[in-house]
């Protein structure tokens, strides 16, 4: 099985193509960016697919990060994934950004809680905690740094993600054994592909995961009065 993975949810625009059973993608490109995903994504995907023998017709599946993340970024990536899957006649699956961020530590941090913490702005964090074998201990949520640290329990904990240090500071303040393993702003798209290969298309639709409403204000002053 061959999969195209896409990520535009956070601070990067990324895509890769991975074959089942392989550890190294056939092609991969990941560019750090906070804005401009809409303009960058399709040219980036075209470059990645141009490097793969058989191109789009060789794909069996598409995976995309579904959040939590930037409202606009999620829409860009998910729309592209759905369109490519529809055109190719293949399934598309969704992978959470927190799962992709935590995945590199699963099976490698024996006896430790694995916590993914991503910056949700304004002192808030998108957070999830797993056992060293990947069992969910704390479900995906948006909380402040202190509440994230307190939800970990007795620890010890290994933290990853853009807000890993902020949560670690709160963990240290309450006496937890906490290690910051990585503070990357976006997951490695190769792990999006790996999780996408394992996902059940019926249980993991490419549907955005929002933990709060988009920060938009209705333009009431632009409305015309009813008669």
């Amino acid at each position: 099985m061959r999969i195209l993975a896409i990520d535009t949810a956070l601070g990067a625009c990324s895509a890769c193509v991975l074959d089942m059973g392989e550890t190294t993608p056939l092609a991969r490109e990941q560019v750090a960016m906070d804005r401009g995903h809409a303009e960058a994504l399709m040219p980036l995907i075209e470059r990645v697919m141009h490097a793969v023998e058989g191109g789009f017709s060789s794909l069996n599946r598409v995976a995309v990060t579904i959040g939590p993340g930037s409202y606009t970024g999620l829409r860009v990536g998910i729309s592209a994934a759905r369109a490519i899957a529809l055109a190719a006649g293949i399934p598309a699956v969704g992978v959470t950004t927190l799962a992709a961020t935590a995945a590199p530590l699963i099976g490698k941090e024996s006896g430790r809680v694995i916590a993914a913490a991503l910056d949700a702005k304004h002192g808030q964090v998108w957070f999830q905690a797993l056992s060293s074998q990947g069992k969910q201990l704390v479900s995906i949520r948006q909380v402040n740094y202190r509440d994230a640290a307190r939800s970990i329990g007795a620890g010890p904990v290994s933290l990853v993600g853009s807000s890993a240090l902020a949560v670690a500071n709160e963990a240290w303040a309450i006496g937890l054994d906490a290690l910051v393993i990585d503070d990357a702003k976006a997951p490695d798209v190769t792990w999006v592909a790996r999780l996408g290969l394992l996902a059940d298309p019926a249980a993991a639709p490419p549907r955005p995961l929002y933990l709060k409403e988009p920060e938009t204000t209705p333009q009431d002053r632009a409305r015309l009065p009813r008669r």
Side-chain angles (χ1 to χ4, degrees):
M1 183 184 293
R2 177 172 292 178
I3 191 168
L4 166 66
I6 298 167
D7 171 45
T8 55
L10 297 164
C13 183
S14 314
C16 79
V17 175
L18 181 70
D19 281 342
M20 177 75 83
E22 299 295 326
T23 57
T24 303
L26 296 170
R28 177 185 180 277
E29 186 169 343
Q30 186 156 349
V31 180
M33 62 175 63
D34 292 317
R35 294 180 177 84
H37 298 83
E39 295 78 14
L41 180 60
M42 290 312 299
L44 185 149
I45 290 175
E46 288 177 4
R47 291 193 298 272
V48 168
M49 295 309 305
H50 183 72
V52 176
E53 185 176 353
F56 287 99
S57 62
S58 70
L59 297 174
N60 304 108
R61 183 177 289 190
V62 181
V64 62
T65 44
I66 59 170
S70 157
Y71 177 74
T72 301
L74 292 178
R75 292 188 60 173
V76 168
I78 291 171
S79 296
R82 287 174 173 171
I84 292 169
L86 181 63
I90 57 177
V93 297
V95 174
T96 71
T97 48
L98 289 163
T101 300
L105 299 190
I106 301 299
K108 295 183 179 179
E109 297 289 307
S110 180
R112 301 183 69 85
V113 175
I114 296 168
L118 300 171
D119 184 15
K121 310 298 184 185
H122 311 300
Q124 298 280 301
V125 60
W126 294 309
F127 186 79
Q128 184 180 31
L130 309 168
S131 73
S132 59
Q133 298 305 311
K135 180 181 178 181
Q136 181 167 269
L137 302 177
V138 179
S139 61
I140 294 175
R141 59 192 59 189
Q142 180 172 326
V143 291
N144 61 42
Y145 304 142
R146 171 183 277 188
D147 288 345
R150 292 183 180 278
S151 72
I152 293 166
V157 60
S158 296
L159 289 144
V160 288
S162 53
S163 286
L165 180 57
V167 175
N169 283 329
E170 295 291 343
W172 293 326
I174 58 176
L176 286 185
D177 172 4
L179 294 176
V180 175
I181 305 299
D182 187 9
D183 63 353
K185 294 179 67 175
D188 183 341
V189 71
T190 304
W191 284 99
V192 178
R194 290 171 180 162
L195 293 178
L197 285 168
L198 298 174
D200 177 359
R207 184 181 303 139
L209 172 64
Y210 299 128
L211 297 188
K212 69 172 184 176
E213 291 298 316
E215 294 182 351
T216 58
T217 303
Q219 296 182 11
D220 291 332
R221 284 178 290 182
R223 292 180 181 176
L224 295 176
R226 291 185 178 182
R227 294 187 178 182

